[in-house]
């Protein structure tokens, strides 16, 4: 803690985990959102008055209009997330607003959740649990509750950043052979033994399992569409822990209904917390409410990284993870 951080007024748009919230209030001139209610543009602009920093989360949109309307005093936006698709980075850059995020610290938790989605979907865990909870568990049966094997199968990863690489490492523990599609080929030491495909059309026909771990950008919006689904082997299993709009819902739902895709594990949804309700009726959809990074350790580390970014800014040091 320094004199500079003590006098640095910072709005946090959401309540953070207890330990992080305590640090926030002790270290900065803190403007917390004690009600933890979602802040709309009007509320953000009002609370940000006189603030030099804002800690935000993916639940608040900082589009070009909001950024243009921010009080002059705001110098830095530190998001409590690795994803920055809720922030118009170009508009931030044009206004001279520093943007920082929280990479690295959520890699393991999100990769674990990706494996959970692949495995949960492949083994139809949601159906098995429902049968048990509803008291419909009869005698053990050689024929019922059959999923498909993940071990030894072929996995394609779309987006081989830190999280994609961590998924590849885990998949090797299942004896899977791993391929990836990425904007660029990785050096061998980062590729984790996975094979690079510049063309999705060449990778998809080999993917028994497909994991979407890419950032949401104009290029990845609706990346998994009807055309690409057609290229997958019949009965493929898909997981999305990236962002909802990376998947075209109409196409995925149709493929889940027809069995072209045997099962999907989804942690993220277009328009969340609302989601396309047709997913709720699909027995072959394993659904989670965006818990990719939701462990105590990870959320504390994310909050601390967001505050580290603000503290570095206040002290005139390099930001640990600046994106704009
Ligand atoms: C992120 O950090 O972008 C995650 O989606 C939040 O868990």
């Amino acid at each position: 803690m320094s004199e500079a951080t003590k006098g640095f007024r910072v709005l946090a748009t959401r309540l953070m985990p207890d330990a992080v919230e305590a640090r926030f209030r002790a270290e900065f001139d803190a403007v917390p959102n004690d009600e933890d209610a979602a802040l709309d543009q009007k509320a953000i602009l009002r609370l940000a008055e006189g603030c030099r920093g804002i800690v935000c989360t993916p639940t608040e949109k900082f589009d070009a209009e909001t950024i243009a309307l921010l009080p002059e005093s705001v110098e830095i936006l530190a998001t409590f997330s690795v994803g920055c698709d809720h922030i118009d980075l170009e508009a931030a850059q044009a206004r001279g607003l520093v943007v920082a995020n929280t990479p690295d610290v959520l890699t393991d938790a999100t990769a674990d959740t990706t494996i959970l989605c692949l495995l949960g979907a492949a083994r139809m865990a949601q159906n098995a649990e429902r049968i048990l909870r509803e008291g419909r568990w009869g005698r053990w049966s050689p024929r019922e509750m059959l999923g498909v094997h993940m071990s030894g199968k072929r996995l394609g990863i779309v987006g081989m950043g830190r999280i994609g690489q961590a998924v590849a490492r885990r998949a090797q523990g299942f004896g899977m052979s791993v391929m990836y599609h990425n904007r660029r080929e990785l050096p061998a030491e980062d590729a984790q033994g996975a094979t690079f495909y510049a063309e999705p059309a060449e990778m998809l026909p080999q993917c028994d399992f497909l994991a979407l771990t890419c950032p949401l950008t104009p290029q990845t919006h609706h990346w998994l569409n009807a055309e690409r689904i057609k290229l997958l082997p019949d009965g493929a299993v898909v997981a999305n822990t990236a962002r909802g709009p990376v998947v075209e819902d109409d196409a995925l739902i149709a493929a889940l209904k027809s069995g072209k895709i045997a099962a999907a594990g989804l942690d993220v949804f277009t328009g969340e917390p609302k989601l396309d309700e047709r997913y709720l009726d699909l027995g072959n959809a394993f659904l989670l409410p965006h818990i990719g990074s939701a462990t105590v350790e990870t959320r504390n580390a994310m909050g601390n990284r967001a505050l580290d970014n603000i503290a570095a800014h206040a002290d005139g040091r390099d930001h640990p993870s600046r994106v704009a």
Side-chain angles (χ1 to χ4, degrees), residues 23-244:
R23 175 184 164 194
F24 172 54
R25 292 172 195 233
E27 195 167 324
F28 299 90
D29 179 7
V31 181
N33 172 13
D34 277 321
E35 285 169 26
D36 199 25
L39 295 183
D40 59 13
Q41 187 196 69
K42 209 166 132 203
I44 291 172
L45 298 179
R46 181 173 48 79
L47 290 169
E49 206 50 63
C51 289
R52 294 177 65 190
I54 299 179
V55 177
C56 69
T57 76
T59 56
E60 297 84 40
K61 239 188 157 26
F62 283 81
D63 53 16
E65 186 191 84
T66 306
I67 287 173
L69 292 171
L70 282 176
E72 278 290 304
S73 56
V74 179
E75 300 163 22
I76 176 168
L77 189 55
T79 183
F80 189 120
S81 64
V82 67
C84 292
D85 48 289
H86 53 299
I87 302 170
D88 187 326
L89 294 178
E90 271 179 29
Q93 221 148 11
R95 183 198 177 277
L97 179 69
V98 172
V99 179
N101 68 345
T102 63
D104 304 312
V105 293
L106 46 60
T107 299
D108 284 332
T110 311
D112 289 351
T113 304
T114 308
I115 296 292
L116 176 65
C117 284
L118 289 170
L119 197 52
R123 299 298 296 270
M124 305 279 189
Q126 70 285 359
N127 282 346
E129 209 216 15
R130 192 174 308 137
I131 285 168
L132 183 148
R133 284 183 187 270
E134 291 174 359
R136 294 189 286 117
W137 184 16
R139 280 177 308 165
W140 182 90
S141 156
R143 293 162 57 90
E144 285 167 16
M145 295 188 262
L146 305 188
V148 292
H149 222 124
M150 188 154 118
S151 300
K153 298 274 175 69
R154 301 166 300 176
L155 168 68
I157 298 174
V158 178
M160 195 65 162
R162 301 173 187 83
I163 295 168
Q165 291 168 38
V167 171
R169 278 195 296 280
R170 285 157 173 72
Q172 276 145 9
F174 285 84
M176 301 184 95
S177 59
V178 185
M179 303 156 266
Y180 72 98
H181 167 68
N182 199 43
R183 272 174 310 171
R184 58 184 175 81
E185 186 168 5
L186 299 184
E189 63 269 26
D190 296 334
Q192 315 293 334
T195 308
F196 173 63
Y197 284 84
E199 290 303 326
E202 286 170 18
M203 180 177 87
L204 289 170
Q206 307 179 61
C207 297
D208 306 310
F209 285 73
L210 183 71
L212 303 171
T213 56
C214 53
L216 174 62
T217 64
Q219 291 71 38
T220 61
H221 186 264
H222 284 183
W223 189 94
L224 190 65
N225 56 19
E227 203 183 316
R228 292 205 168 111
I229 287 174
K230 236 187 250 160
L231 297 173
L232 287 166
D234 291 347
V237 174
V238 170
N240 184 13
T241 52
R243 285 291 184 265

Side-chain angles (χ1 to χ4, degrees), residues 294-311:
T295 67
V296 174
E297 297 90 335
T298 300
R299 290 287 167 84
N300 282 337
M302 290 168 74
N304 280 319
R305 175 64 70 85
L307 296 186
D308 289 346
N309 279 315
I310 301 259

